[in-house]
Amino acid sequence: MNEKTPAKPEIAPVDFEYASSREATDLVEIDDSYGLWINGASRSPASKRYFSTINPATEEPLARIAEANERDVDRAVKAARKASDSWRRTPGKERAKYLFRIARMIQERAREFAVLETLDGGKPIKESRDFDIPLVAAYFFYYAGWADKLEYAFPGLKPEPLGVAGQVIPWNFPLLMMSWKVAPALATGNTVVLKPAETTSLTALAFARLTAEAGLPSGVFNVVTGAGPTGASLVAHPGVDKVAFTGSTAVGKAIQRSIAGSPKHLTLELGGKAPHVVFDDAPIDQAIEGVVNGIFFNQGHVCCAGSRLLVQESIADHFVDKLKRRLETLRVGDPLDKNTDVGAINSEAQLDKITELVDVGIEEGAGIYQPACELPDRGYFFKPTLFTGVSQSHRIAQEEIFGPVLSIMTFRTPAEAIEKANNTPYGLSAGVWTTKGSRILWMADRLKAGVVWANTYNKFDPASPFGGYQESGFGREGGKHGLLPYLSGVR
Ligand code: NAP
Ligand code: MG
């Protein structure tokens, strides 16, 4: 964590080079227009409607994408239902072969997927290259490994697939969130209808083509593109047995209400407002890098972002000074530039939301600090931002900003750190920096968070479950736990 790069994955990075961002865009082929992916092929939408997806770093349109209405969703669910009988009876070791093949093909096409993810969503290429895409392949490899071992995973029980999974994902890690859902669903013998986010559907559609090339039987994986109403139709469809949702707490609650009383199974991965706690004995330089990674990785569009820094009072001034100096070195701009640390905000709507909450922070009396970096003239960008003098009741200390904005508070004792850290409706993740092992364990016992990172942040591994408490949702993705939401007969 000593390096300047905010994200340092333990998974092998993708090996590729290009000279300029123009050359990078030549690495991918983008069609003018995309249909819905239903029953193994691209189909024109019954809705006859299309929306356009743009590059948020330039505001230029990239492609037109079909918008699925209720009839389209119905077609996709029926295709998934039809494919379900033979897919669930396909022996686990055969299902594994498809998933291993898919994982290898993602690795082979990592350049294309990384550039496409960055073009459509705005994240820095070094993140899509070294974090997202290698992890996507890793999740497919990992769940491929479980496909023929389910009876060993749940000894004495009879694991059975649920049937058709309707999966709705957000725009911050499009392919990665897809892999967290699709890999375990297919490994356990379920078929899938996926609804990607409106602003970032291109990689899911590219993945759909890849599944056909991998020989995955038609109907096992389907994609319905569109906005919120398409997601709502999918969730409401009576042919869906399992709903898996990642997104905002507000939409998650609406989904839970809408399917209450139905036999549908549900998992919700929602928002967060993670505390990042730094004690006075912490290795300061590493902690600075951890805090920077925690909030500026992917422009802060991260559900588990360390968006509240709690720093021990005795080192607070020194720590915040160092943090400000470090912010001056962050490079904000062209996401395709390999040296960019902070890329484009995903959409104009998200930029407006961040701007609005930052204005609220100023009005509430917190002190704002932004480095003197210049932002590109076009595209959606926001300067890395710190707020000092934040009190717990401030909206910027309570609400998820989902942007590159850190709210800083102080504490004196470990008990006070816990009290402040747990003072939100969320409970997704937390970070602790200290050299005392006993203190790490003491904190981990008391922090209300699904994941607690110690002396590191934003580390992911397919074998490790991820998920929340309270308003951050329920159910786990990753690890053996990630199989449970897609199986009956395992409890
Ligand atoms: P969002 O507005 O809730 O959207 C998530 C997905 O749901 C999108 O595909 C969206 O479609 C769709 N959708 C919207 N309204 C719907 C409805 N009524 N019924 C069904 N689907 C509907 O969230 P977002 O702004 O995209 O994503 C940011 C949020 O996701 C943050 O709160 C973040 O913390 C959370 N998140 C959580 C995790 C986790 O693992 N816990 C991971 C990543 C993100 P459109 O966008 O196309 O309109
Ligand atoms: Mg886009």
Side-chain angles (χ1 to χ4, degrees), residues 178-256:
M178 185 204 76
S179 70
W180 287 20
K181 292 186 165 36
V182 172
L186 299 187
T188 48
N190 296 275
T191 57
V192 167
V193 180
L194 177 81
K195 209 298 277 178
E198 190 185 353
T199 55
T200 54
S201 304
L202 288 180
T203 45
L205 292 165
F207 174 82
R209 290 182 184 177
L210 180 149
T211 62
E213 287 168 48
L216 189 73
S218 297
V220 169
F221 176 70
N222 306 274
V223 182
V224 288
T225 40
T230 305
S233 303
L234 177 59
V235 167
H237 196 290
V240 167
D241 303 294
K242 153 81 195 161
V243 174
F245 173 79
T246 297
S248 61
T249 297
V251 173
K253 283 181 180 176
I255 289 176
Q256 193 173 15

Side-chain angles (χ1 to χ4, degrees), residues 259-473:
I259 67 169
S262 83
K264 286 176 191 170
H265 298 249
L266 177 66
T267 37
L268 295 175
E269 301 277 356
L270 309 176
K273 189 77 185 173
H276 211 154
V277 186
V278 180
F279 285 96
D280 59 7
D281 67 334
I284 297 298
D285 289 342
Q286 284 98 319
I288 293 277
E289 291 311 303
V291 168
V292 165
N293 170 9
I295 187 62
F296 301 119
F297 182 58
N298 200 29
Q299 297 73 248
H301 303 328
V302 184
C303 49
C304 52
S307 51
R308 290 182 297 143
L309 171 63
L310 295 170
V311 56
Q312 200 155 17
E313 202 175 81
S314 47
I315 57 161
D317 290 346
H318 173 61
F319 195 84
V320 173
D321 280 350
K322 274 195 100 136
L323 195 54
K324 287 178 178 171
R325 284 207 298 280
R326 179 67 176 86
L327 251 60
E328 297 289 343
T329 67
L330 289 177
R331 296 175 61 139
V332 185
D334 181 4
L336 282 169
D337 183 330
K338 282 168 286 190
N339 293 322
T340 290
D341 298 308
V342 181
I345 300 302
N346 181 265
S347 66
E348 191 173 14
Q350 189 59 27
L351 182 60
D352 290 347
K353 190 184 146 197
I354 296 166
T355 310
E356 186 194 319
L357 271 163
V358 165
D359 288 346
V360 166
I362 296 167
E363 275 162 35
E364 283 176 326
I368 187 170
Y369 175 81
Q370 292 176 320
C373 60
E374 274 196 28
L375 300 183
D377 296 337
R378 293 203 63 188
Y380 313 131
F381 291 90
F382 199 86
K383 285 188 180 183
T385 302
L386 303 181
F387 274 114
T388 51
V390 177
S391 80
Q392 292 191 78
S393 60
H394 283 169
R395 278 179 65 192
I396 52 167
Q398 289 292 327
E399 292 178 32
E400 188 181 41
I401 300 173
F402 224 58
V405 183
L406 180 66
S407 299
I408 305 177
M409 289 167 276
T410 58
F411 67 92
R412 287 186 183 157
T413 63
E416 191 187 339
I418 288 291
E419 201 182 303
K420 288 185 167 167
N422 288 340
N423 184 18
T424 76
Y426 295 111
L428 191 57
S429 59
V432 181
W433 292 84
T434 172
T435 43
K436 287 198 185 77
S438 58
R439 184 179 276 163
I440 292 171
L441 297 174
W442 189 90
M443 290 290 289
D445 266 350
R446 288 160 181 81
L447 284 165
K448 281 204 202 100
V451 178
V452 179
W453 282 292
N455 296 330
T456 186
Y457 208 83
N458 276 340
K459 291 281 183 212
F460 291 90
D461 188 290
S464 171
F466 183 89
Y469 288 101
Q470 308 184 118
E471 301 220 342
S472 293

Side-chain angles (χ1 to χ4, degrees), residues 53-56 62 119-121 198-200 346:
T53 191
I54 64 160
N55 175 350
L62 292 169
L119 276 173
D120 202 14
E198 190 185 353
T199 55
T200 54
N346 181 265

